[in-house]
Amino acid sequence: MPPSSDKNPFDQAAEAFRRYRPPYPNTLFDRIMEDFPPPHERAVDLGAGTGLATLPLCTHFKEVIAVEPSEPMAEKLAELSPRIRVLSVPAEDLPSNPLAPIDLVIVASSLYWMDGELALEKVARWLRPHGRLAVFRYGIPILEGALKRLIDREYRDRWDAFRHPRLRDEGYSQRTVRSSPYYEEVRVLSVPNRIELDPHQLVGFYSSTSYGAAYLRTVPEPQFYLEDLEREIREAAGSLTIPVDFNIEVVLAQRKVDGAA
């Protein structure tokens, strides 16, 4: 999916992304690797961002190729591990042939920013027969009570105008993988992911989203807005920590043996 302008929508949110995006749980990668026979030589993280999913792959693979077009996002990826190699190109511009066959491709909370059909065709050229594709994402934080009402207000009055329609399309990942002619044995998993955040971390998360960052660019004094929102969240929560559900949807598929790409 091309962004609404020539600028990558995450360029200006890269630092907030590094500081405030919650890590993916180890159980997620355990589920992805479950019943996945070797070889486990090389993996690709498509739309790697700041490496939240790239680094955990290094415990399972000898080499991980991080594909990330945003330079501010990608600038520190190679420093995370000597096993990581960075390709700073859009998924749609991947070269037709990899240097070596790829065993696993993951797409972590980023497929909706791509031309999904084309991106999955491209990585099908890279995946070995019976190689695995894992497309996963967590949605917006699930909150309750006064906190939910407060955040619903922010979406309604401030953030929603900056949300791309595809972010509201809950079935996009499943539908795109299932409709691709290059994959089979598609299945969908749910990985529980309940974490504790303090009000500052929760505000930081929203500032790292594409729509949060876009809204902040319209505010004359964005720091004042963030401080006010943090104060309101702290008052609504009535505690130092906030339980948040970041449950993860995982779409797994296998590269067809005879599915030419």
Side-chain angles (χ1 to χ4, degrees), residues 151-194:
I151 296 303
D152 284 350
R153 181 201 71 192
E154 294 302 302
Y155 275 106
R156 182 184 65 248
D157 296 346
R158 295 179 173 87
W159 302 337
D160 253 347
F162 300 94
R163 293 179 77 197
H164 193 283
R166 192 174 285 173
L167 295 178
R168 302 184 181 93
D169 185 354
E170 297 292 327
Y172 178 74
S173 296
Q174 291 189 42
R175 191 170 62 251
T176 304
V177 176
R178 290 186 187 279
S179 65
S180 175
Y182 308 110
Y183 303 92
E184 60 187 0
E185 298 188 18
V186 180
R187 52 198 172 106
V188 180
L189 311 174
S190 180
V191 177
N193 185 33
R194 189 173 175 87

Side-chain angles (χ1 to χ4, degrees), residues 59-207:
T59 65
H60 298 278
F61 293 88
K62 294 180 180 178
E63 181 182 38
V64 179
I65 301 169
V67 180
E68 176 50 54
S70 168
E71 291 185 9
M73 285 278 191
E75 63 180 2
K76 296 182 180 179
L77 280 171
E79 300 173 9
L80 297 176
S81 168
R83 297 190 180 194
I84 295 174
R85 180 157 60 94
V86 181
L87 287 181
S88 191
V89 298
E92 298 86 350
D93 294 341
L94 280 175
S96 296
N97 297 299
L99 298 178
I102 301 300
D103 303 301
L104 172 73
V105 172
I106 67 167
V107 191
S109 298
S110 59
L111 186 64
Y112 37 73
W113 290 113
M114 305 172 188
D115 179 333
E117 181 179 349
L118 178 57
L120 294 188
E121 177 184 348
K122 287 278 189 174
V123 296
R125 298 175 185 270
W126 288 47
L127 270 172
R128 62 171 171 84
H130 299 304
R132 181 164 289 182
L133 171 71
V135 179
F136 54 92
R137 66 182 181 88
Y138 49 66
I140 60 175
I142 300 173
L143 303 167
E144 298 177 352
L147 271 176
K148 181 180 186 305
R149 291 190 292 273
L150 170 59
I151 296 303
D152 284 350
R153 181 201 71 192
E154 294 302 302
Y155 275 106
R156 182 184 65 248
D157 296 346
R158 295 179 173 87
W159 302 337
D160 253 347
F162 300 94
R163 293 179 77 197
H164 193 283
R166 192 174 285 173
L167 295 178
R168 302 184 181 93
D169 185 354
E170 297 292 327
Y172 178 74
S173 296
Q174 291 189 42
R175 191 170 62 251
T176 304
V177 176
R178 290 186 187 279
S179 65
S180 175
Y182 308 110
Y183 303 92
E184 60 187 0
E185 298 188 18
V186 180
R187 52 198 172 106
V188 180
L189 311 174
S190 180
V191 177
N193 185 33
R194 189 173 175 87
I195 63 176
E196 300 275 340
L197 299 178
D198 64 36
H200 183 72
Q201 291 171 320
L202 186 58
V203 170
F205 169 81
Y206 289 117
S207 73

